[in-house]
Amino acid sequence: MSLIQDVISRVHEKETGQPEFLQAVQEVLTSLEPTAIKHPDFVKAKIYDRIVIPDRAILFRVPWVDDSGEVQINRGFRVQFNNAIGPYKGGLRFHNSVNLGIIKFLGFEQIFKNSLTTLPMGGAKGGADFDPKGKTDNEVMRFCQAFMRELYRHIGPNTDVPAGDIGVGGREIGFLYGYYLKIVNANNSVLTGKGLEYGGSLIRPEATGYGAVYFAAEMLATRGQQIDSKSAAVSGSGNVAQYTVEKLNQLGAKTITLSDSNGTIVDEAGIDTDKLEFVFELKNHRRGRISEYADKYKVPYYADKTVWEVIKEQNLKVDLAFPSAHENEIHKAEAEAMVKNGCYCISEGANMPSDLEAVQVFLDNHVLYGPGKAANAGGVAVSGLEMSQNAMRMSWSREEVDQKLQVIMKNIHASTLEASEEYGCKGNYVVGANIAGFLKVAKSMLAYGIV
Ligand code: NDP
Ligand code: 2IT
């Protein structure tokens, strides 16, 4: 057995009950096999064994009181995975499904993603098994305050800078930051994704979705193609999905799907600017269900189906796919159906939305496949730019930030493609992203000695 396979087996043995984390480790480490041959110093310093264990994982109780006066208890997490190249950085997820394994998978992925951005950020993730859906604003506020009551002691502008993820948007960041100010008495920009009035960056809300489309445009350019006039499937209808559709519209593509945890809508005429405005209002203000889109625009709604199941069952044809909801939403059968129906470019807005077999289908069919850690890095990249603006006590214009985002996405694409070529599998963005992200972190860890 190779040294890398040995490390993977040890993780399997020790980290039971964490399937998403095991999956992420298996995908990343398998791609890193050639680096172990080229870098015996990494092997000697046991970099591979060390990188799969977080620096620390904090688990805490979050007690709060709901509107009816009942005491509620949730589990809070912050996994500080690796700070070799910068302060820990990564989002907070509030969703029923959150557990230690999910936060570890996300924190592990974040190490390589943040490295790819070229900005100095280490990898971390946090969250709680709390779902803001169906809660009142007051309940969300009390939960955020209770969560920050513990988290504050583990974070700091040079230590660990959290941000949003599923279930954590502008409202939650406001409540979290307000309570941090109250208890720490330091307006030190310890979170990103802040409101513009109190230190947020222009383009941060748009960044992940826009970035995923910029990444797709770079991939298409390698085949002499562009976004204009392509058809696209987008899953989810939250932050990432919304701004993916907005950018696709700006660049002349037509998006025909959106979804949420209850089902999928298909609008063959395209989700144009007016319809997208309805989605913004529905999801960000009224916090309603995507089925309301189908009622309003008289289009088909598929209850309890994902976008990818609908593509398979209805034989929907799209050129481009932007999975933007959650991990493991695409499995082998759906991936096969996507390819069969002509989809040839997948840019992942979500983290690890394709399972290992689905990824293999994309690679075997030589479609353009941009894995999340490269394609969705625009969000954390603009978080990094928010940190820079905060540190300078200045703010850049919308155009400046968007320009920097475009350059970063171009560079991520180029370094990923270059690494894939250098390590003998040109065009395999999975191997390219993992290797390009890993090398900088590994070399830093090596420089620090055994710590
Ligand atoms: P949001 O909470 O804004 O939206 C999430 C969307 O996905 C909602 O439509 C939600 O539906 C749906 N969804 C979430 N979990 C499930 C589930 N288990 N089953 C079915 N549908 C689900 O989150 P974001 O848009 O911010 O995040 C989407 C993805 O993008 C995640 O994988 C996240 O990790 C990733 N990401 C986010 C970044 C960011 O900057 N926000 C940056 C990089 C990656 P419902 O409302 O019904 O729950
Ligand atoms: O998965 C991600 O990259 C995010 N949720 C964004 C993290 C951040 O710190 O902006």
Side-chain angles (χ1 to χ4, degrees):
M1 201 178 348
S2 78
L3 169 119
I4 295 273
Q5 291 306 322
D6 226 28
V7 176
I8 296 173
S9 317
R10 268 200 298 283
V11 174
H12 271 265
E13 209 175 284
K14 296 271 181 197
E15 320 287 349
T16 48
Q18 300 179 3
E20 294 85 3
F21 177 60
L22 298 180
Q23 181 183 336
V25 166
Q26 185 160 337
E27 188 226 87
V28 173
L29 259 67
T30 306
S31 317
L32 297 181
E33 291 266 11
T35 64
I37 297 163
K38 241 185 182 167
H39 296 274
D41 44 354
F42 291 172
V43 175
K44 185 153 184 282
K46 298 213 167 159
I47 298 290
Y48 303 94
D49 304 67
R50 284 157 60 191
I51 206 162
V52 295
I53 301 177
D55 290 348
R56 63 194 65 77
I58 302 146
L59 163 61
F60 51 99
R61 182 176 66 246
V62 189
W64 58 285
V65 180
D66 71 17
D67 284 353
S68 69
E70 193 178 329
V71 177
Q72 300 286 341
I73 318 281
N74 289 97
R75 285 175 163 69
F77 302 89
R78 186 70 180 167
V79 174
Q80 298 177 333
F81 226 111
N82 189 300
N83 66 352
I85 64 166
Y88 300 110
K89 182 84 196 87
L92 298 172
R93 175 178 290 193
F94 291 169
H95 193 269
N96 295 333
S97 61
V98 163
N99 58 38
L100 183 62
I102 289 193
I103 299 298
K104 278 177 65 185
F105 120 64
L106 290 162
F108 183 66
E109 289 280 291
Q110 202 82 41
I111 304 172
F112 310 100
K113 183 196 306 194
N114 292 3
S115 168
L116 283 172
T117 66
T118 70
L119 303 174
M121 299 183 289
K125 201 83 184 190
D129 60 348
F130 167 83
D131 197 339
K133 274 203 301 290
K135 306 288 192 303
T136 64
D137 285 353
N138 274 332
E139 288 177 324
V140 172
M141 179 181 75
R142 284 197 295 278
F143 175 80
C144 288
Q145 294 178 341
F147 185 81
M148 188 52 90
R149 205 138 55 226
E150 174 60 34
L151 185 70
Y152 84 93
R153 68 187 88 245
H154 307 291
I155 61 179
N158 296 310
T159 306
D160 184 353
V161 182
D165 192 79
I166 290 178
V168 179
R171 175 182 60 169
E172 289 74 19
I173 293 289
F175 290 146
L176 290 162
Y177 194 60
Y179 200 70
Y180 177 86
L181 290 185
K182 183 78 187 167
I183 54 181
V184 177
N185 191 20
N187 198 330
N188 60 14
S189 312
V190 74
L191 302 179
T192 61
K194 299 185 291 301
L196 289 178
E197 304 77 11
Y198 58 93
S201 174
L202 287 159
I203 301 286
R204 175 63 189 90
E206 293 88 341
T208 312
Y210 280 18
V213 179
Y214 294 147
F215 195 85
E218 290 299 312
M219 292 196 290
L220 287 170
T222 64
R223 297 192 182 170
Q225 298 201 33
Q226 51 192 24
I227 298 277
D228 183 33
S229 76
K230 301 287 186 297
S231 59
V234 176
S235 64
S237 49
N239 171 267
V240 178
Q242 292 165 12
Y243 288 104
T244 297
V245 178
E246 181 169 280
K247 184 52 71 179
L248 285 168
N249 283 342
Q250 288 170 9
L251 297 183
K254 179 172 83 168
T255 305
I256 64 166
T257 64
L258 279 174
S259 66
D260 62 21
S261 52
N262 294 102
T264 291
I265 62 106
V266 177
D267 184 348
E268 298 268 11
I271 300 164
D272 62 18
T273 310
D274 288 346
K275 293 171 181 172
L276 184 60
E277 210 40 62
F278 171 80
V279 175
F280 278 120
E281 163 62 23
L282 172 71
K283 286 292 173 182
N284 306 346
H285 300 290
R286 286 197 288 121
R287 299 180 190 275
R289 304 279 80 207
I290 201 66
S291 58
E292 292 181 43
Y293 181 106
D295 297 339
K296 182 166 170 69
Y297 295 108
K298 312 275 177 271
V299 298
Y301 173 67
Y302 299 91
D304 300 322
K305 297 276 179 203
T306 67
V307 166
W308 321 110
E309 286 166 341
V310 173
I311 287 189
K312 175 163 103 27
E313 290 164 19
Q314 305 297 320
N315 275 319
L316 274 189
K317 298 206 180 322
V318 286
D319 303 308
L320 320 175
F322 296 86
S324 308
H326 60 98
E327 58 277 3
N328 291 331
E329 48 178 305
I330 306 180
H331 311 98
K332 184 176 183 205
E334 289 110 53
E336 284 169 348
M338 288 162 72
V339 174
K340 184 174 127 261
N341 287 320
C343 178
Y344 60 89
C345 176
I346 297 110
S347 187
E348 294 184 336
N351 285 305
M352 209 169 75
S354 309
D355 73 13
L356 290 172
E357 289 184 333
V359 172
Q360 202 52 50
V361 171
F362 297 142
L363 295 177
D364 290 346
N365 285 279
H366 303 287
V367 295
L368 296 164
Y369 170 66
K373 67 171 73 64
N376 72 36
V380 74
V382 174
S383 276
L385 300 180
E386 183 172 329
M387 291 166 73
S388 308
Q389 293 169 82
N390 293 158
M392 290 190 298
R393 301 191 185 281
M394 283 175 65
S395 49
W396 293 320
S397 70
R398 220 182 139 76
E399 292 68 31
E400 278 174 290
V401 181
D402 192 32
Q403 191 53 39
K404 288 181 201 302
L405 171 63
Q406 289 184 48
V407 170
I408 289 172
M409 295 315 295
K410 244 183 206 308
N411 288 342
I412 293 175
H413 178 268
S415 60
T416 301
L417 198 55
E418 260 164 44
S420 74
E421 196 167 1
E422 188 183 336
Y423 283 85
C425 39
K426 188 174 176 191
N428 181 330
Y429 293 97
V430 176
V431 170
N434 288 332
I435 292 183
F438 168 74
L439 286 176
K440 192 162 100 180
V441 177
K443 286 176 186 170
S444 305
M445 289 172 72
L446 197 63
Y448 299 150
I450 305 304
V451 286

